[in-house]
Amino acid sequence: LMKGTVDEKLDFAFAMTDIDGSGEITYQELMITIESIMRIYAGIMGTNSIAALNERKIKKMFKRLDKNGDGMLTLDEYKRGMKRHP
């Protein structure tokens, strides 16, 4: 992961977020992933509380990435969006 190309890293991140392995990321899968990352971060930092998620911003980001508006992110949509807005 540390030595991979940008595309390899994005492939890995996509696969980790695609919880059900469908080949697409739903908004719910994105939220679960972000919440999990925040819990891990809180544990590393030694705090019991996690910062409140700004769902409005996350929904806005998801809609920006979901180019065809079908409520799912394909690998292509995900990679293009992440490369434009890292």
Side-chain angles (χ1 to χ4, degrees):
L1 184 62
M2 296 287 291
K3 295 182 180 182
T5 66
V6 170
D7 279 333
E8 289 170 336
K9 291 175 184 179
L10 289 172
D11 288 341
F12 177 79
F14 182 90
M16 295 301 295
T17 306
D18 179 17
I19 296 168
D20 66 4
S22 66
E24 298 175 315
I25 296 173
T26 64
Y27 177 74
Q28 182 178 6
E29 288 174 318
L30 180 65
M31 286 299 296
I32 289 168
T33 302
I34 291 171
E35 288 172 352
S36 296
I37 291 168
M38 291 180 70
R39 282 192 180 93
I40 291 167
Y41 178 77
I44 291 169
M45 298 307 292
T47 179
N48 290 332
S49 63
I50 60 173
L53 292 175
N54 187 331
E55 266 194 75
R56 194 178 98 245
K57 285 185 179 182
I58 296 169
K59 281 182 183 180
K60 184 178 177 180
M61 178 190 72
F62 188 89
K63 286 182 180 183
R64 187 180 319 145
L65 296 175
D66 184 16
K67 290 298 183 188
N68 66 0
D70 68 352
M72 307 278 222
L73 299 180
T74 63
L75 178 58
D76 184 58
E77 288 173 322
Y78 180 82
K79 286 169 93 170
R80 286 177 192 242
M82 290 300 170
K83 285 178 180 178
R84 284 191 196 116
H85 307 285

